[in-house]
């Protein structure tokens, strides 16, 4: 039995997209208690992969060196004490702390789900991180309630695509988005059902939303941008509004001069940062169980999985460069032969 496998590696440990390559000498994982080894069919790309590749992502201690947190495939072996209901040969998809850019991955069976027959390998690989992150932001952190309004920044990103659909199904009073092109805004509004969208390159989205809401603002904002949106997020927050920060694409350091934090007191705004990857298995498992409840909605068409591009993993450099261009609407997926 072979002890090595192919996996995506990084020349010099960190670097640009062009530093990615497929190594043929990575150690093949084995299943510890409670784990399954899955032969990977496809894996999804996430923005954290770009940050990790560049050396800017703080990895949790249990994360392996290899990139990738979501995947689909078949169970090859099972360790002792696995979650009931899984057997060798099962088609599954799931979430991991890392290691998905590879032929095989060892992962807790608590983070696996059976792949429904109506989902392709590519679709299934793009579900776990995306839908679990959106669920965490809305409910576990953002305390979303039916009848509230919500703003999703990066509206055509995979997490916000899931979030818009979740918000609509949960009875949001209004769903607003920001995006960088009219094409993306039209996609969010006409295809996904958002109430309105704003081009952050050409519009003052905070003023537009305040105008539309007669000055009330929004109850919940989900932000991936950070520094450059900090003031506007406070401005657009409704009384008792919540802002959930999941990323800092524009940077993390504020220029304090001119920043008005009065909304924290005047409007009782709550601003909270969060991440999923650093959470323990019990926390992630609760979200995995919530995801399982969504599966019938994928089948009946209530929820849709949007895959923008599928590439063979031999084109991993091109896949990362595509994500860096910020032109995609939905998931970028790589398949493993």
């Amino acid at each position: 039995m072979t002890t090595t496998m192919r996996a995506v590696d990084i020349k010099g440990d960190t670097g640009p997209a062009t530093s990615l390559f497929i190594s043929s000498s990575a150690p093949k994982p084995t299943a510890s208690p409670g784990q399954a080894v899955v032969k990977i069919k496809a894996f999804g790309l996430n923005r954290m992969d770009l940050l990790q590749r560049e050396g800017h992502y703080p990895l949790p201690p249990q994360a392996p060196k290899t990139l990738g947190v979501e995947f689909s495939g078949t169970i090859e072996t099972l360790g002792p004490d696995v979650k009931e209901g899984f057997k060798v040969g099962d088609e599954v998809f799931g979430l991991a702390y890392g290691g998905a850019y590879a032929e095989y991955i060892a992962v807790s069976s608590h983070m696996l789900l059976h792949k429904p027959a109506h989902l392709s390998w590519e679709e299934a690989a793009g579900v776990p991180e995306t839908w679990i992150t959106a669920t965490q932001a809305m409910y576990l952190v953002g305390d979303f309630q039916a009848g509230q309004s919500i703003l999703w920044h990066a509206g055509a990103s995979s997490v916000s695509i899931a979030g818009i659909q979740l918000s609509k199904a949960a009875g949001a009073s209004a769903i607003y988005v920001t995006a960088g092109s009219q094409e993306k805004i039209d996609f969010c509004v006409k295809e996904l059902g958002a109430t309105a969208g704003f081009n952050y390159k050409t519009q003052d989205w905070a003023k537009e939303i305040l105008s539309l809401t007669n000055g009330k603002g929004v109850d919940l904002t989900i932000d991936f941008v950070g520094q450059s949106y900090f003031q506007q997020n406070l401005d657009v927050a409704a009384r008792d509004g919540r802002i959930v920060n999941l990323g800092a694409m524009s940077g993390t350091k504020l220029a304090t001069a001119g920043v008005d934090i009065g909304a924290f007191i005047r409007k009782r705004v709550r601003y909270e940062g969060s991440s999923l990857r650093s959470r323990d298995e019990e926390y992630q498992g609760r979200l995995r169980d919530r995801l399982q409840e969504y599966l019938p909605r994928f089948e009946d068409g209530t929820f849709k999985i949007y895959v923008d591009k599928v590439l063979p993993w031999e084109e991993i450099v091109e896949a990362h460069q595509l994500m860096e261009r910020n032109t995609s609407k939905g998931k970028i997926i790589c398949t493993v032969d």
Side-chain angles (χ1 to χ4, degrees), residues 132-304:
I132 284 178
T133 297
T135 299
Q136 178 202 22
M138 275 184 66
Y139 293 108
L140 273 66
V141 183
D143 295 330
F144 178 81
Q145 304 293 325
Q148 294 182 339
S149 58
I150 189 166
L151 165 62
W152 290 91
H153 289 305
S157 68
S158 297
V159 173
S160 291
I161 287 172
I164 293 165
Q165 295 179 75
L166 288 169
S167 303
K168 186 177 179 181
S173 60
I175 306 166
Y176 302 110
V177 301
T178 62
S181 71
Q182 191 60 47
E183 180 187 3
K184 288 183 176 182
I185 291 168
D186 289 344
F187 169 73
C188 292
V189 174
K190 297 177 181 179
E191 175 72 19
L192 300 179
T195 306
F198 310 95
N199 188 329
Y200 64 83
K201 296 178 180 178
T202 61
Q203 294 176 284
D204 185 331
W205 53 265
K207 286 185 178 179
E208 296 283 355
I209 292 173
L210 287 170
S211 177
L212 273 180
T213 60
N214 296 316
K216 177 188 174 184
V218 292
D219 297 304
L220 176 59
T221 296
I222 312 296
D223 179 39
F224 311 87
V225 180
Q227 180 267 331
S228 66
Y229 279 12
F230 183 80
Q231 183 66 68
Q232 288 169 295
N233 283 335
L234 291 179
D235 293 343
V236 82
R239 187 177 295 274
D240 294 313
R242 288 91 61 213
I243 301 164
V244 178
N245 180 252
L246 300 180
M249 293 170 63
S250 67
T252 59
K253 296 182 179 180
L254 293 174
T256 54
V259 175
D260 181 4
I261 62 172
F264 287 116
I265 298 172
R266 186 177 68 256
K267 295 193 287 188
R268 301 188 296 267
V269 169
R270 191 183 89 204
Y271 189 107
E272 185 170 350
S274 188
S275 68
L276 177 62
R277 197 173 182 182
S278 61
R279 301 286 189 169
D280 62 31
E281 191 176 297
E282 188 276 332
Y283 181 98
Q284 291 194 8
R286 281 190 285 143
L287 287 162
R288 173 258 179 219
D289 293 344
R290 189 74 170 260
L291 177 57
Q292 187 162 16
E293 296 174 8
Y294 298 158
L295 295 185
R297 295 187 177 192
F298 290 118
E299 186 166 12
D300 68 20
T302 303
F303 292 156
K304 295 181 181 179

